[in-house]
Amino acid sequence: MTGVSGTGSWPASDVREAQAVVVGELTSAPEGVEGIPFAVNPHGRGPWADPVGRAAALLVDMPTELGVHGWALADRPGRDLDRARSVVGEDLDALAVAAFGYAGRIVVPVVGPLTLAATLYLARGDRVVSDTGAVRELTESLGVGIAAHVDRLRGHVPGAQVVVLVDEHDLAAVIAGAVPSFSGRAMLRSVPAPAAAELLSMLVDAAREASGSQVVIDVGPAWTTVGTAVSAGADAVALAVGQVGRQGWERVAETVEAGIPLWAAVPGRSGASDGRSARTGSQARVLHRPWREVGLPVGGLAEVVVLPDPATPPAGGPEGARRELADLVVTARELAEIAAG
């Protein structure tokens, strides 16, 4: 059945309240729709809780710290890392409370190794992506850390079937050699697509083999990197479909026909002054119209999972985010009805 989930972002600072809203909305999805709760990451809690800080907290035997320019590898663990790990633990506790007694899929978002390498700095040097050996070590460390985190989550929510959503929004820039150096006067070395796929494959294998998790690789709007995610062995590929043209949809069709499901991030709020989202019918058309145009069978929409597009964040704070999630549930229901004929 058509699914609906999220990428973790939430415009609030109270993690327990946010997690309760998300689980409540998604576990009450109508018949024909699979609501998939996700671990939330509320905004406004400082760099220790931002996506990079949370990923850094998962690294094993690679301590990190906050520097002048952001997170960097460090010689030894310190207070910054302790605080980031504490946030991850608190958020896991909040998920356990909200999802008590739940059995089914739960999405755990985490920044992927190549996007992390394009952001995180070496202890003495430029971004990690500038050092081939460091990128591999980072990938191995993150894979071990994700597996351990998933095991902890399963201890808190025994019925969870964990789906790791790997955020690789910077994958296209890494492959193209478009990540700027610290000085901004040059671009750092490219990681060729085959090498990027190999690194991502290491992470996929670590998450899957250690914990049995599904792994979805989120490439943002960069359809050109869908093939890299598929080559890495992803169980599904997430793509922001709002701005994808014909050529991109042909790549999507090849992927779906190869048995790799699509997780589609659809535009949400249209920026209306009243804080209302775009009509759900329009959201559904963003997906099913090009789906049909490239010759994909409408029945295949039953395998799609709908996500919010981070490029169109909701207006209206926590209540706006709740409305957007409710709209996505309606969109998923419409797609399920189309799939059923």
Side-chain angles (χ1 to χ4, degrees):
M1 63 182 70
T2 308
V4 57
S5 192
T7 59
S9 178
W10 197 263
S13 57
D14 187 330
V15 65
R16 287 183 179 269
E17 180 180 347
Q19 195 67 77
V21 169
V22 165
V23 174
E25 287 286 340
L26 293 176
T27 55
S28 60
E31 185 178 353
V33 173
E34 181 190 10
I36 310 172
F38 57 93
V40 296
N41 180 16
H43 304 172
R45 299 188 295 166
W48 309 275
D50 70 20
V52 173
R54 294 166 67 86
L58 297 182
L59 295 174
V60 175
D61 295 329
M62 290 191 80
T64 53
E65 63 184 0
L66 271 172
V68 176
H69 305 288
W71 285 96
L73 298 179
D75 295 325
R76 61 185 62 84
R79 285 181 293 181
D80 293 325
L81 183 56
D82 287 343
R83 190 164 179 180
R85 287 172 173 168
S86 177
V87 168
V88 171
E90 291 168 4
D91 290 359
L92 191 57
D93 290 341
L95 178 59
V97 171
F100 179 77
Y102 171 78
R105 292 202 285 180
I106 290 181
V107 168
V108 177
V110 62
V111 174
L114 293 164
T115 294
L116 187 59
T119 308
L120 194 67
Y121 284 88
L122 296 163
R124 284 167 287 278
D126 216 307
R127 302 177 200 268
V128 172
V129 74
S130 65
D131 185 319
T132 302
V135 174
R136 180 169 289 271
E137 290 176 10
L138 182 74
T139 302
E140 293 172 345
S141 175
L142 184 60
V144 174
I146 289 173
H149 182 64
V150 169
D151 285 341
R152 289 193 295 272
L153 190 156
R154 283 189 169 141
H156 284 68
V157 188
Q161 301 165 17
V162 179
V163 181
V164 180
L165 181 62
V166 181
D167 178 358
E168 282 292 1
H169 280 60
D170 287 340
L171 180 59
V174 169
I175 291 173
V179 177
S181 65
F182 172 74
S183 68
R185 298 173 183 171
M187 297 297 172
L188 298 177
R189 55 175 291 278
S190 164
V191 178
E198 180 186 355
L199 290 163
L200 286 170
S201 179
M202 291 167 52
L203 186 84
V204 169
D205 290 345
R208 186 182 291 144
E209 293 175 8
S211 59
S213 301
Q214 287 185 305
V215 181
V216 180
I217 298 179
D218 183 355
V219 299
W223 65 265
T224 56
T225 58
V226 167
T228 302
V230 171
S231 296
D235 295 296
V237 177
L239 177 70
V241 298
Q243 300 300 317
V244 174
R246 176 74 184 200
Q247 192 174 3
W249 271 102
E250 288 175 351
R251 178 63 58 83
V252 169
E254 293 172 1
T255 302
V256 171
E257 288 168 350
I260 310 297
L262 172 68
W263 287 42
V266 298
R269 305 209 173 278
S270 59
S273 59
D274 63 358
R276 299 286 296 177
S277 70
R279 290 185 302 113
T280 55
S282 297
Q283 289 179 300
R285 281 196 297 274
V286 166
L287 181 56
H288 79 78
R289 180 178 291 172
W291 183 279
R292 286 170 162 166
E293 289 174 351
V294 293
L296 288 169
V298 292
L301 290 169
E303 304 300 321
V304 171
V305 174
V306 180
L307 301 170
D309 187 343
T312 56
E319 179 57 25
R322 188 202 62 77
R323 287 197 303 266
E324 179 184 60
L325 194 57
D327 285 347
L328 287 174
V329 170
V330 174
T331 298
R333 185 185 65 193
E334 293 178 354
L335 292 169
E337 290 171 352
I338 292 169

